[in-house]
Amino acid sequence: MRSGIALGVSRARRSRILAGFACVAVLFASGCRKPIERQAVVAIEYSISPQPVRIGPVVLSVKLRDAAGKPVSGARVGFEADMSHPGMTPVFGEAQEVAPGQYQGSLEFAMAGDWVVLIHVTLPDGRTLGREVSVPGVTTN
Amino acid sequence: MQVPGLRRLFHWRHLRTVLQIPLLIVSVAMILDGLLGPSLAPKNLATTLSWVHFRGALVLVLLCAGNFFCLACPFMLVRNVARRFFHPRLNWPQKLRNKWLSVGLFALILFCYEEFSLWSSPWWTAWLIIGYFSAVLMVDGLFKHASFCKFVCPIGQFNFVASTISPLEVKVRDLDVCDSCATKDCIRGRRAPGPDLVVVQRGCELALFQPLKVGNMDCTFCLDCVHACPHDNIGILSRLPASELMVDPRRSGIGRFSQRKDLAALGIVFSFGALLNAFGMVSPVYALENWLAGILHVNSEAPVLGVLFALFLVVEPAVLLGLAAWLTQIWGGSRRALLPLAVRYTYGLVPLGFGMWLAHYSFHFLTGLYTVVPVAQSAAARLGWTVFGSPRWTWLGIPMRFVQPLEIGFLVLGLAGSLLVIHELAVSDCAERPLRAFTPWAAVALVLWVAAIWMMFQPMDMRGTFLAG
């Protein structure tokens, strides 16, 4: 007994379809890499304290330096912390400039687990920079 | 169904395709965003939709209605299109006509979820979806009927087991009509007259003959039987949830539950896997993993996870179910041997397992309900579509304080369902001393329920690896 919907398809057409599938697969495999980020002209250094990171408030310090190594003042620095699991509550914070080119702000990790902190920087000339910081294994107190 | 309009809707030939097309579009969007979009899981459609919205909506639809996700399965749409060009010639191998392969795949997916932290990887999530599409095309491209759905698909097996709790079922309206039916189109399908015997309407591809079908096990709600029946005698009808677990008749395409060790194994992975999957997201699991790593003298997660899975999915069920079966034998006076007893009562734990899946997945779904909005806005913005505005990352979901009581409610509901099923099985097994047969299994259900409640009050801890912490 035959099953399925019987429609006549020639061998040549099947081959073309198979070739089409193969091309799409190759395109997927080769073309889905992320573009390499352009080198930022401003270096972002960061630190988180206290270490090891636990649930509760943490202090994030960010230093911005230009290509010549000079501190970059007058930038706007914001933080966003996400858990590695989607659907969880993100945490937001803003940093204040505490010294030329040095910014400090706080975040509160509400849950144990792996976090990722996004540092969003808006330079005085309006350019924006970002840095993704992995904070694995935030533990309970 | 007696709801006005719904009967006509379910009889509409193109209903399935119309439901599948949007899900196929969403699946393609998830694959593309997973491969090309942000690597951070909460910002990506693949991870957000897969691990927050799909799973949560799935269990809630199964609880409130039935296996409608299999009805709308986008993989089957692709398969049906492919089958216009490729006609499978082979029958699924006789030795694999059981659930053992799919039980293994189900356990493997749970293992990979932990081992590769799938929830945190858009890339792997996208490849999982691609892998699924490929597997469907390969299996159903080679083998006739719905071999993938019935014997391979781990999501399908999850849906089959969970839908035993659902309030809706595809079934015959009037068995007398079936008795007088000469064509049996519901299983055979309809073919155009002529030498080619072209199929114009499929019958059940999962070998479920409607007059002898009992319950939702193996039913994908594809509605082929509804369309095939020349007497309009099959519909989506309501029933008592979990009632199919309380009886043990010979079921079309399945046989007796009590004689299916593979189905019982599926029930075990479903029920105990629910606890294991939730346990993987609370703090104590890392202490246990570290302890195990110390004992095993290993630094990688895979062997530790392997031991943990063996403990939770093999040793724990063997001990608990074996002990309960033994007590039922010596105390309740059941004449069945240990293994058949364990197989029979395993199905009693399915409602509890479903309660745990519900509590877990609905937690993520409800607390992250609106997160799909900014993720979709962000994906649209990357394509240059600014009409949806800038992403509202502060959109989350229902506050935890409202969701947690609901979770407890789901667990209580699961326990109540399990106790009810176990009681009915005990009454039919040991009519003279049903309480003695009931007690050991009720104790097992209670132990698992206490474990589930304990887990729910543990601090959440979602780490990619215990070695990092």
Side-chain angles (χ1 to χ4, degrees):
Chain A
M1 229 164 67
R2 290 171 61 188
S3 73
I5 300 164
L7 288 173
V9 180
S10 69
R11 189 180 290 265
R13 192 173 167 198
R14 279 187 204 179
S15 303
R16 280 201 298 275
I17 292 163
L18 269 178
F21 273 120
C23 288
V24 171
V26 169
L27 277 173
F28 258 112
S30 60
C32 53
R33 292 193 182 87
K34 289 189 178 152
I36 297 165
E37 283 180 30
R38 280 191 301 159
Q39 195 72 36
V41 289
V42 173
I44 303 174
E45 291 173 33
Y46 65 89
S47 65
I48 302 175
S49 60
Q51 290 285 350
V53 183
R54 295 180 182 278
I55 288 179
V58 293
V59 175
L60 278 105
S61 303
V62 174
K63 285 182 187 173
L64 302 179
R65 296 183 190 285
D66 63 16
K70 291 179 182 167
V72 177
S73 291
R76 196 168 149 233
V77 178
F79 305 121
E80 177 189 343
D82 291 280
M83 293 214 72
S84 59
H85 194 294
M88 308 308 291
T89 312
V91 185
F92 298 90
E94 287 280 335
Q96 304 297 320
E97 189 166 7
V98 291
Q102 291 188 29
Y103 303 81
Q104 206 169 67
S106 66
L107 279 177
E108 180 142 351
F109 291 125
M111 203 176 279
D114 296 339
W115 286 79
V116 175
V117 177
L118 303 173
I119 303 172
H120 301 294
V121 177
T122 308
L123 296 174
D125 61 7
R127 282 180 300 158
T128 56
L129 303 171
R131 183 84 184 249
E132 200 175 297
V133 179
S134 182
V135 187
V138 173
T139 55
T140 46
N141 287 308
Chain B
M1 283 191 97
Q2 298 305 311
V3 181
L6 275 187
R7 185 165 176 165
R8 183 182 290 182
L9 179 70
F10 288 127
H11 276 78
W12 185 37
R13 295 182 58 83
H14 303 294
L15 172 68
R16 192 174 198 200
T17 311
V18 165
L19 292 174
Q20 286 170 320
I21 287 171
L23 285 189
L24 179 64
I25 293 169
V26 171
S27 302
V28 172
M30 287 162 71
I31 290 170
L32 292 175
D33 206 35
L35 295 176
L36 305 169
S39 59
L40 188 55
K43 308 273 187 196
N44 196 291
L45 275 176
T47 34
T48 304
L49 285 175
S50 293
W51 308 120
V52 177
H53 295 87
F54 169 73
R55 296 192 308 183
L58 176 78
V59 289
L60 289 172
V61 169
L62 281 162
L63 173 74
C64 300
N67 192 3
F68 285 96
F69 267 86
C70 280
L71 167 68
C73 175
F75 305 126
M76 285 299 110
L77 179 62
V78 174
R79 181 206 79 154
N80 288 342
V81 171
R83 276 195 173 175
R84 287 176 175 264
F85 305 103
F86 305 101
H87 304 145
R89 301 284 177 217
L90 303 173
N91 285 312
W92 186 252
Q94 196 70 36
K95 284 187 177 176
L96 295 177
R97 291 189 182 194
N98 51 54
K99 300 290 185 189
W100 290 115
L101 175 64
S102 51
V103 169
L105 289 172
F106 186 6
L108 183 68
I109 284 199
L110 293 180
F111 181 85
C112 290
Y113 181 75
E114 304 295 343
E115 169 64 12
F116 302 112
S117 306
L118 291 179
W119 70 86
S120 66
S121 173
W123 173 269
W124 280 117
T125 303
W127 278 108
L128 183 69
I129 303 169
I130 294 169
Y132 229 100
F133 274 111
S134 310
V136 171
L137 287 174
M138 269 174 56
V139 172
D140 278 2
L142 286 172
F143 299 100
K144 290 192 269 189
H145 311 299
S147 299
F148 185 82
C149 303
K150 194 172 175 86
F151 301 115
V152 181
C153 181
I155 300 173
Q157 308 314 313
F158 179 95
N159 294 350
F160 294 155
V161 179
S163 64
T164 60
I165 317 293
S166 300
L168 299 179
E169 177 187 342
V170 177
K171 65 178 179 182
V172 164
R173 294 180 209 279
D174 182 355
L175 277 172
D176 290 339
V177 174
C178 297
D179 288 342
S180 60
C181 177
T183 57
K184 314 296 182 196
D185 290 347
C186 61
I187 187 87
R188 297 173 62 185
R190 279 205 303 271
R191 290 160 193 277
D196 285 345
L197 292 174
V198 174
V199 175
V200 291
Q201 173 57 57
R202 281 193 305 241
C204 182
E205 287 196 296
L206 291 103
L208 304 175
F209 180 44
Q210 274 297 331
L212 299 175
K213 174 178 175 279
V214 180
N216 281 331
M217 184 58 77
D218 279 8
C219 179
T220 59
F221 272 52
C222 66
L223 304 181
D224 280 342
C225 57
V226 173
H227 301 312
C229 177
H231 311 289
D232 187 19
N233 192 37
I234 303 172
I236 297 180
L237 308 179
S238 60
R239 52 128 192 212
L240 177 69
S243 55
E244 67 182 275
L245 298 171
M246 301 172 191
V247 291
D248 192 26
R250 185 172 295 281
R251 298 159 202 246
S252 174
I254 294 165
R256 289 187 200 281
F257 271 8
S258 62
Q259 293 172 355
R260 291 284 304 265
K261 295 186 193 75
D262 55 332
L263 267 183
L266 180 61
I268 286 173
V269 174
F270 179 87
S271 305
F272 289 78
L275 275 88
L276 178 58
N277 191 245
F279 187 52
M281 295 225 156
V282 293
S283 283
V285 74
Y286 300 105
L288 178 61
E289 284 185 326
N290 272 314
W291 179 72
L292 280 172
I295 289 177
L296 298 170
H297 302 292
V298 292
N299 290 318
S300 66
E301 194 167 22
V304 175
L305 268 180
V307 170
L308 211 58
F309 268 68
L311 281 175
F312 274 84
L313 296 185
V314 181
V315 177
E316 186 194 15
V319 170
L320 288 178
L321 304 183
L323 198 62
W326 179 65
L327 286 172
T328 309
Q329 216 179 35
I330 59 160
W331 201 36
S334 174
R335 292 188 193 92
R336 291 172 192 260
L338 276 184
L339 188 58
L341 255 179
V343 168
R344 179 160 165 76
Y345 282 87
T346 293
Y347 302 106
L349 299 177
V350 167
L352 182 60
F354 186 54
M356 188 67 216
W357 286 115
L358 260 174
H360 182 184
Y361 286 177
S362 68
F363 170 82
H364 288 301
F365 178 66
L366 296 173
T367 56
L369 189 61
Y370 313 130
T371 54
V372 67
V373 176
V375 174
Q377 284 176 312
S378 170
R382 283 195 299 280
L383 292 173
W385 301 342
T386 52
V387 287
F388 301 109
S390 56
R392 296 170 182 269
W393 295 114
T394 50
W395 279 32
L396 296 169
I398 299 168
M400 219 180 279
R401 65 180 182 279
F402 297 124
V403 176
Q404 206 159 34
L406 198 65
E407 282 181 77
I408 295 170
F410 286 143
L411 286 180
V412 170
L413 204 62
L415 177 67
S418 276
L419 294 179
L420 193 65
V421 172
I422 291 167
H423 181 262
E424 290 301 310
L425 292 175
V427 167
S428 71
D429 245 13
C430 308
E432 294 155 15
R433 292 181 289 185
L435 198 62
R436 290 188 173 196
F438 168 77
T439 307
W441 298 98
V444 171
L446 207 60
V447 165
L448 295 179
W449 184 78
V450 169
I453 290 284
W454 171 78
M455 243 182 269
M456 191 183 295
F457 287 98
Q458 294 304 303
M460 282 185 73
D461 195 343
M462 287 176 288
R463 285 188 235 173
T465 170
F466 68 96
L467 297 165

